[in-house]
Amino acid sequence: MNMKLSFRWYGESDPISLEYISQIPGMRSIVSAVYDVKPGEVWPEESLARMKEACEKHGLIFDIVESIPVHEDIKLGRNNVDELLEVYCENIRRCAKYGVKCVTYNFMPVFDWTRTQLDKKAKDGSTSLVMYWDQMRGLDPLKDDIHLPGWDSSYTQSEVRELITAYGEIGEEGLWRNLEKFLKKVIPVAEECGVRMAIHPDDPPYPIFGLPRIITCEENLDRFLSIVDSPANSLCLCIGSLGCAASNDIVAMTRKYAERDRIAFMHIRNVKLMEDGSFEERAHLSSCGSLDVYEIVKALVDNGFDGYVRPDHGRMIWGETGKPGYGLFDRALGATYINGLFEALEKENAKK
């Protein structure tokens, strides 16, 4: 197969072992990062070397980083932003030295993702991540102490308020300006190192609590790609994130950006959209959610996609417990489903 199948692994502290991951048919690459270093600090080379060696022992390749976090001061364009950009470039160089070919990152203000529940139980007993608007309405982080899943450990309530106020002052255009500065500094370094930078869309792809969101739709992806027109400046096309907005035609967008060779990394998962814009994460199979995963993969295969793919968030099934969205069993099922779609479509195309 042309595509490179991969699996997210959270390092030595991950309850899912590399041995188990290596037993998933067709698994090639490990997606990981140095998780014990704060944003804005240089990654130790020994950490990268240890991860590379651990993966190779199990017949896997550590060649995708997800992610090198972008410091809030880079996104806000304040304080020691130039120094932080130098550190970011150094981390790209160090990753490349140990064989990394793709680096994922995001430019989301304050929070990487927003959900209202991490263990919503379905009729079949499985649990998954959801975002329900009726649980969000009336919440004001500038007035209330908000404890949404995934938020508490990142910042104190006072830090959240300060950041939300700061982002409100720069707005979307300010965020675009700071992203442009980031890209013009970072992409030339990535090109020199043979690394493709892959921006992850905002999750979900619309404003939450007034925070500006810009990597959200086709128009904005076009604008992003035009800032530095280079294969090193590409997309991590997460269909589950972009697919949370009914206005996004995910099949058409996948086809368009695959045709232009501007997708470096595909995150494949399914979501079920509700009438009010709420959503539930579902099993990968097309019929389980609102996204036609078959047509999305077909758009990739038709355009000779040879980048990285990973099964994204999975449900918790068969009594498994662990990091919400990142259990072994359902993601392994997702990987096998993805393998099947790619094999069938590639063989079908070969007959034409």
Side-chain angles (χ1 to χ4, degrees):
M1 275 188 247
N2 291 325
M3 67 87 176
K4 303 174 184 75
L5 188 65
S6 64
F7 206 82
R8 184 91 182 256
W9 182 61
Y10 284 93
E12 289 158 9
S13 65
D14 196 323
I16 299 165
S17 68
L18 289 170
E19 180 185 1
Y20 285 1
I21 295 169
S22 72
Q23 292 169 11
I24 300 168
M27 192 51 64
R28 176 191 185 276
S29 295
I30 286 294
V31 185
S32 198
V34 177
Y35 293 105
D36 58 354
V37 175
K38 291 178 182 174
E41 295 179 4
V42 177
W43 287 6
E45 284 198 36
E46 22 323 346
S47 298
L48 292 163
R50 194 163 58 243
M51 198 168 305
K52 175 183 167 73
E53 185 183 0
C55 292
E56 287 173 352
K57 276 183 184 171
H58 294 279
L60 298 163
I61 306 167
F62 170 51
D63 54 356
I64 324 170
V65 160
E66 185 177 340
S67 54
I68 303 178
V70 180
H71 197 284
E72 299 294 341
D73 285 346
I74 293 177
K75 298 175 200 171
L76 285 163
R78 67 183 188 182
N79 299 334
N80 58 335
V81 59
D82 292 328
E83 184 184 318
L84 290 167
L85 287 169
E86 290 294 344
V87 168
Y88 203 97
C89 291
E90 177 59 21
N91 281 334
I92 293 172
R93 292 186 194 100
R94 290 188 176 200
C95 287
K97 182 177 176 180
Y98 290 91
V100 169
K101 301 296 182 192
C102 179
V103 171
T104 307
Y105 67 100
N106 72 68
F107 225 73
M108 288 181 245
V110 193
F111 306 113
D112 285 1
W113 49 275
T114 303
R115 301 290 186 273
T116 54
Q117 194 176 342
L118 304 182
D119 57 356
K120 177 72 169 78
K121 199 165 191 174
K123 288 178 184 175
D124 62 9
S126 63
T127 64
S128 67
L129 288 72
V130 299
M131 195 192 89
Y132 295 141
W133 274 110
D134 61 357
Q135 294 174 335
M136 293 278 286
R137 289 198 177 89
L139 296 178
D140 184 348
L142 295 178
K143 295 177 184 171
D144 311 317
D145 281 355
I146 293 177
H147 300 284
L148 285 172
W151 288 30
D152 295 0
S153 59
S154 305
Y155 300 103
T156 65
Q157 293 289 327
S158 61
E159 286 172 331
V160 166
R161 291 182 180 119
E162 188 276 325
L163 286 166
I164 288 175
T165 301
Y167 279 109
E169 287 169 1
I170 68 164
E172 282 193 11
E173 285 306 317
L175 195 57
W176 275 113
R177 279 194 302 275
N178 296 333
L179 176 57
E180 181 171 345
K181 179 172 181 172
F182 172 84
L183 293 174
K184 288 183 173 175
K185 176 72 176 179
V186 163
I187 298 301
V189 175
E191 287 174 335
E192 285 170 22
C193 296
V195 168
R196 294 190 79 177
M197 299 296 296
I199 196 167
H200 190 287
D202 299 345
D203 183 10
Y206 37 75
I208 301 265
F209 299 132
L211 287 166
R213 292 279 175 98
I214 57 176
I215 309 300
T216 55
C217 61
E218 186 175 348
E219 180 185 352
N220 286 14
L221 293 181
D222 287 347
R223 179 174 174 178
F224 164 79
L225 292 170
S226 69
I227 293 171
V228 181
D229 189 5
S230 163
N233 181 36
S234 288
L235 305 172
C236 169
L237 199 74
C238 177
I239 65 173
S241 296
L242 290 168
C244 291
S247 54
N248 282 333
D249 184 337
I250 305 301
V251 174
M253 290 166 76
T254 305
R255 190 169 293 279
K256 173 178 176 175
Y257 298 119
E259 191 177 356
R260 297 181 181 183
D261 188 26
R262 298 304 285 276
I263 303 172
F265 195 12
M266 285 294 300
H267 285 185
I268 295 182
R269 62 180 164 91
N270 211 340
V271 289
K272 180 67 176 177
L273 298 186
M274 312 295 162
E275 284 186 12
D276 69 345
S278 300
F279 60 87
E280 299 174 352
E281 297 192 359
R282 293 284 183 89
H284 289 74
L285 192 69
S286 294
S287 58
C288 292
S290 301
L291 302 179
D292 191 333
V293 183
Y294 168 86
E295 287 293 343
I296 289 163
V297 172
K298 188 174 190 302
L300 295 169
V301 172
D302 286 349
N303 288 286
F305 177 77
D306 61 358
Y308 296 95
V309 174
R310 76 167 172 85
D312 203 2
H313 305 167
R315 304 162 299 149
M316 284 299 180
I317 60 172
W318 303 337
E320 186 178 19
T321 57
K323 186 179 176 67
Y326 286 96
L328 172 64
F329 302 151
D330 202 39
R331 286 191 297 155
L333 291 178
T336 300
Y337 175 54
I338 291 164
N339 268 336
L341 288 176
F342 271 93
E343 180 179 353
L345 286 159
E346 285 178 4
K347 286 182 173 176
E348 194 62 33
N349 279 9
K351 289 178 187 173
K352 291 176 183 174

